[in-house]
Amino acid sequence: MTDSSLTDTTLATESVAPNVKRATPELWGVAWRNIMRTSRRTWLTASGIAFAILLMSLMRSLQVGAFMGAVDNSARIMLGHIQLQHPGYEDDPTIENSIHGIDEIIADVESRPGVEVVSARAQSFALTSSGERSFGAQVIGVQHDKEVVWSSLTRMDVEGRYLQGPGEAFIGSALARNLGISVGDEMVILGTAIEGGVAALVAEVVGTYTSGQPELDRAIVQVSLQDFQSAWNLASDEAHIINVIAESVADSEQLAPQLGRAHVRSMNWRELQPEMVQMMELKLVGTYVLFILVAIIVIFSVVNSFMMIIFERTPEFGMLMAIGMRPHHIIIQLQIEALLVSLLGVFIGLVIAAVGIGILSETGIALPAQAEELTKSMAFPDRMYPVFSLSALYIAIPVMLLGTQFAALIPGLRLRHMHAVEALRAAE
Amino acid sequence: MSDVVVTVRGATRTYNEETVPVHALRGVDMDVHRGDFVSLAGPSGSGKSTLLNLIGGLDRANEGDVVVDQVSLSELNENQLSDLRLEKIGFVFQAYNLLPVLTAEENVGFIMQLQGMSRSERSARARETLASVGLADLADRRPGDMSGGQQQRVAIARAIATRPVLLLADEPSANLDSGTTEELLELLKELNEEHGMTIVTATHDPMVMGYTSRKINLRDGAIVEES
């Protein structure tokens, strides 16, 4: 026996009512030590979870980056990030559905933070002709001094130059070819003015552009806004569209709802480019399908890990049951261990994703040369800049956390039917 | 307070091993009084561990009843049996069964943790109990860093720290050498003689039987001799 004996106090009979709920929070520390008992297995399982999170973050961030780049590029060709229109113009784009007081509206919008440039357009369909040839086209009257600042169409493989004043026309190369004209030639434009009048305009072609998008190259004619207002009988403060270019797509999302006013509707890029929104949603579905497949593989590996844990620790669970721990409390402890493993994996995945995406968002990823035609037609930039997307993680993280809990519970439920004596014998 | 801690009446336990039933216990009757140090002895398959498991509420009799501290175990459901073990019974296992990730102090304090005792109180009591079994200096060691004898002492400290009504030990010396077994038995004897701890141990080790105040021999699931 030892030099220090049991005291009477030590063995005083005292009934202690069990209160397992109070003990549960302290099981977290035990759970952490348990998962680190087989650290290699824990790190492998956590790595699988981290990989799933990283995959989802990276894919979604690349997609968002690419689509935001495409949205921005597309907006800067023709559409703008935001358009202010007459409320009826979207459904009925007639010459009469115009907005008045454009100078005041432009001044107001330009004063808003996050706005880069604002310009007005008046537009109508008309017949363009030269000599014996005639083709239909959309004639757009532009504020050429502002348009040249933001519209990349003015710089797309231009032959000649962009508009500098009245009496000039800037047209797509396909239309020029169809009309059999080139820079320096004159073209005639005939349309229907306000109240059924005839709009007639003769302009000298000062430049042609080639965008690579057939619908733009064969059907767009730009003239000065003054020429358009004069030919179509519009007032000098009247136009059909006010294009707003924001400093970023994200800025435009916040700006758009603020710019609407009486008789003027504000449309954001989602309304202006619905096909882009649909494509993004379609891509997102594809990403989720891939993620779910990866998640299923990871969850199976977690099931396997926890089956091993239960097999290896059966005598320990037998002892815990013998000393008075109820099976469901042991299951709770295993669920805590699973939660810690999944949190570890999620944390690692998020850290790697944040660092990787942070670096790539600065350097960009060059697209292969073979994709040039596709990127041009889809208005994608030649480098992709990933944008960290939290939206993907709203689903990915809960899926991994709940999936891991489910995966641990499947083998864990065996504990409900485990017999303490048989479990203890497993050690012999 | 009743003098009888354990009453076993007509306890029968039969295992259905495939088609051939195995009669582990055949109508055993016995009483354990407060302060008894009882050894259940007998060859392998005699039923000593089965009887110990019935007394500890780890197994249920097919027939008959076991009463521990005036509580009939046959009337308790599984959760109530768990609570009874947590409150009233201390277990010492052949393989020690300490939690490898916990220190000696934490292992001793684990049951008190389940009982909801505060961290400071259980830490103090765990250290006090470890000191009482001669392991005051090893409180911060994990089981993997201790000898078999030291681990078994920690297991005893864990079992008695909660002040159970009954201490059950299943082949406590099976994995120990004779010197360590003697130290262990001295410790159990002191617990019994000086502090009145009621101890029931299943063993086939004559050295263990030599230390106990009562010896119950079992053979083929029945008590054949008691001294």
Side-chain angles (χ1 to χ4, degrees):
Chain A
M1 188 57 187
T2 62
D3 52 352
S4 53
S5 301
L6 289 164
T7 63
D8 289 339
T9 315
T10 311
L11 289 179
T13 305
E14 177 187 301
S15 177
V16 182
N19 182 3
V20 182
K21 277 184 183 172
R22 270 184 63 190
T24 303
E26 298 192 40
L27 294 179
W28 286 80
V30 178
W32 177 256
R33 289 193 221 176
N34 275 333
I35 64 170
M36 284 302 143
R37 196 197 296 191
T38 49
S39 58
R40 186 178 297 179
R41 183 192 300 151
T42 297
W43 286 115
L44 275 173
T45 308
S47 298
I49 294 165
F51 174 73
I53 295 293
L54 178 63
L55 178 85
M56 189 65 185
S57 305
L58 202 57
M59 284 185 65
R60 191 64 191 144
S61 299
L62 283 170
Q63 279 178 3
V64 171
F67 277 113
M68 287 300 109
V71 166
D72 196 44
N73 270 16
S74 185
R76 287 172 187 274
I77 292 173
M78 280 291 289
L79 296 171
H81 292 125
I82 302 166
Q83 287 189 6
L84 304 182
Q85 302 177 356
H86 182 281
Y89 190 76
E90 170 77 358
D91 297 327
D92 184 19
T94 57
I95 193 78
E96 286 82 11
N97 279 337
S98 59
I99 47 180
H100 294 265
I102 59 171
D103 295 336
E104 290 85 34
I105 296 173
I106 289 173
D108 171 55
V109 175
E110 279 180 334
S111 68
R112 308 281 182 120
V115 174
E116 192 176 296
V117 61
V118 186
S119 68
R121 286 177 180 168
Q123 57 191 35
S124 178
F125 283 97
L127 189 67
T128 61
S129 60
S130 175
E132 299 294 314
R133 299 185 181 186
S134 297
F135 282 89
Q138 186 175 38
V139 179
I140 306 173
V142 298
Q143 291 179 311
H144 52 81
D145 53 333
K146 289 185 172 179
E147 195 87 8
V148 75
V149 173
W150 69 267
S151 174
S152 58
L153 196 72
T154 64
R155 298 179 290 278
M156 282 182 169
D157 200 2
V158 172
E159 189 179 325
R161 63 170 172 79
Y162 189 60
L163 302 176
Q164 289 180 346
E168 296 178 349
F170 183 70
I171 68 174
S173 58
L175 180 61
R177 193 167 53 250
N178 290 341
L179 290 172
I181 57 176
S182 58
V183 174
D185 293 337
E186 282 193 340
M187 64 185 297
V188 176
I189 302 168
L190 287 173
T192 304
I194 278 181
E195 295 174 350
V198 175
L201 184 63
V202 177
E204 178 191 348
V205 177
V206 295
T208 64
Y209 64 86
T210 304
S211 69
Q213 298 184 48
E215 65 274 19
L216 290 181
D217 292 348
R218 65 170 176 249
I220 299 287
V221 175
Q222 287 194 0
V223 297
S224 74
L225 182 60
Q226 299 96 305
D227 280 349
F228 190 100
Q229 287 166 334
S230 171
W232 268 264
N233 292 332
L234 297 180
S236 62
D237 69 342
E238 189 177 2
H240 294 105
I241 291 170
I242 293 174
N243 296 92
V244 180
I245 298 296
E247 288 172 358
S248 69
V249 176
D251 283 336
S252 76
E253 301 253 22
Q254 293 180 332
L255 271 169
Q258 305 168 15
L259 302 183
R261 59 201 72 203
H263 309 299
V264 176
R265 176 189 177 194
S266 174
M267 298 175 71
N268 65 20
W269 70 266
R270 294 177 191 276
E271 294 167 286
L272 297 171
Q273 303 183 55
E275 68 288 347
M276 194 70 85
V277 175
Q278 286 172 1
M279 199 185 301
M280 288 175 75
E281 287 170 353
L282 203 63
K283 285 282 182 188
L284 183 59
V285 170
T287 304
Y288 279 133
V289 168
L290 185 63
F291 167 72
I292 292 297
L293 289 175
V294 172
I296 287 171
I297 294 169
V298 171
I299 286 166
F300 269 109
S301 80
V302 176
V303 172
N304 185 51
S305 287
F306 275 80
M307 285 185 83
M308 289 295 292
I309 285 170
I310 287 176
F311 177 73
E312 290 167 356
R313 287 165 56 187
T314 294
E316 178 183 317
F317 297 143
M319 179 276 291
L320 292 173
M321 284 190 267
I323 64 175
M325 204 167 178
R326 296 180 185 179
H328 76 268
H329 286 121
I330 301 174
I331 293 172
I332 289 172
Q333 180 164 341
L334 282 171
Q335 295 302 124
I336 293 172
E337 291 176 22
L339 183 62
L340 289 176
V341 173
S342 55
L343 286 173
L344 187 65
V346 167
F347 177 73
I348 294 168
L350 285 178
V351 168
I352 296 174
V355 172
I357 293 166
I359 293 169
L360 290 173
S361 66
E362 291 296 320
T363 61
I365 302 169
L367 293 173
Q370 295 90 323
E372 187 183 358
E373 198 169 318
L374 180 69
T375 56
K376 208 170 185 179
S377 64
M378 298 295 292
F380 273 71
D382 58 353
R383 290 185 82 82
M384 280 202 299
Y385 292 89
V387 175
F388 196 80
S389 168
L390 281 175
S391 64
L393 299 174
Y394 292 149
I395 291 182
I397 292 176
V399 163
M400 292 316 301
L401 294 181
L402 291 175
T404 308
Q405 286 296 295
F406 178 68
L409 189 60
I410 294 170
L413 286 176
R414 292 177 59 186
L415 288 165
R416 292 177 63 200
H417 308 292
M418 189 177 277
H419 201 275
V421 175
E422 289 168 9
L424 283 164
R425 278 194 194 132
E428 294 171 5
Chain B
M1 185 183 293
S2 168
D3 187 44
V4 179
V5 177
V6 178
T7 304
V8 181
R9 289 289 176 269
T12 298
R13 184 68 175 101
T14 304
Y15 297 104
N16 292 313
E17 297 288 342
E18 296 180 358
T19 54
V20 183
V22 176
H23 302 288
L25 285 180
R26 301 164 188 262
V28 170
D29 296 320
M30 67 174 278
D31 293 317
V32 177
H33 296 86
R34 202 168 299 279
D36 273 357
F37 187 0
V38 181
S39 60
L40 304 175
S44 293
S46 60
K48 56 186 185 299
S49 288
T50 303
L51 181 55
L52 198 74
N53 290 336
L54 292 185
I55 295 169
L58 295 174
D59 199 1
R60 286 181 186 277
N62 299 113
E63 290 174 28
D65 194 14
V66 177
V67 178
V68 175
D69 200 28
Q70 302 178 64
V71 177
S72 169
L73 303 194
S74 61
E75 293 172 6
L76 302 182
N77 62 30
E78 291 302 319
N79 284 338
Q80 289 169 326
L81 277 176
S82 290
D83 290 348
L84 178 110
R85 293 196 294 267
L86 187 62
E87 285 181 81
K88 296 181 183 290
I89 304 173
F91 285 93
V92 177
F93 307 100
Q94 177 181 333
Y96 326 134
N97 289 89
L98 299 174
L99 291 170
V101 295
L102 302 184
T103 64
E105 181 193 321
E106 288 165 338
N107 264 290
V108 173
F110 190 76
I111 300 176
M112 291 181 272
Q113 181 180 330
L114 294 180
Q115 290 177 333
M117 196 181 288
S118 71
R119 183 190 293 265
S120 58
E121 192 180 352
R122 69 171 185 262
S123 175
R125 193 184 287 188
R127 284 191 172 269
E128 186 183 5
T129 313
L130 278 171
S132 72
V133 297
L135 295 177
D137 298 335
L138 304 184
D140 297 323
R141 280 206 199 166
R142 292 194 180 182
D145 300 325
M146 303 169 93
S147 69
Q150 289 168 335
Q151 287 186 56
Q152 195 60 298
R153 281 171 179 268
V154 174
I156 290 171
R158 177 179 65 188
I160 63 174
T162 54
R163 302 160 184 173
V165 174
L166 177 65
L167 178 64
L168 301 179
D170 189 8
E171 304 279 10
S173 63
N175 293 333
L176 304 177
D177 59 43
S178 58
T180 313
T181 298
E182 194 167 354
E183 287 178 13
L184 174 78
L185 292 169
E186 287 292 343
L187 172 60
L188 291 176
K189 192 174 180 182
E190 182 180 321
L191 284 171
N192 173 249
E193 290 182 351
E194 296 183 19
H195 304 283
M197 175 75 72
T198 308
I199 303 172
V200 179
T201 178
T203 185
H204 59 262
D205 184 347
M207 188 186 287
V208 176
M209 293 176 224
Y211 271 82
T212 58
S213 55
R214 281 178 63 199
K215 299 167 198 60
I216 297 175
N217 281 315
L218 290 106
R219 188 176 294 273
D220 300 327
I223 295 174
V224 293
E225 185 185 359
E226 187 170 351
S227 57

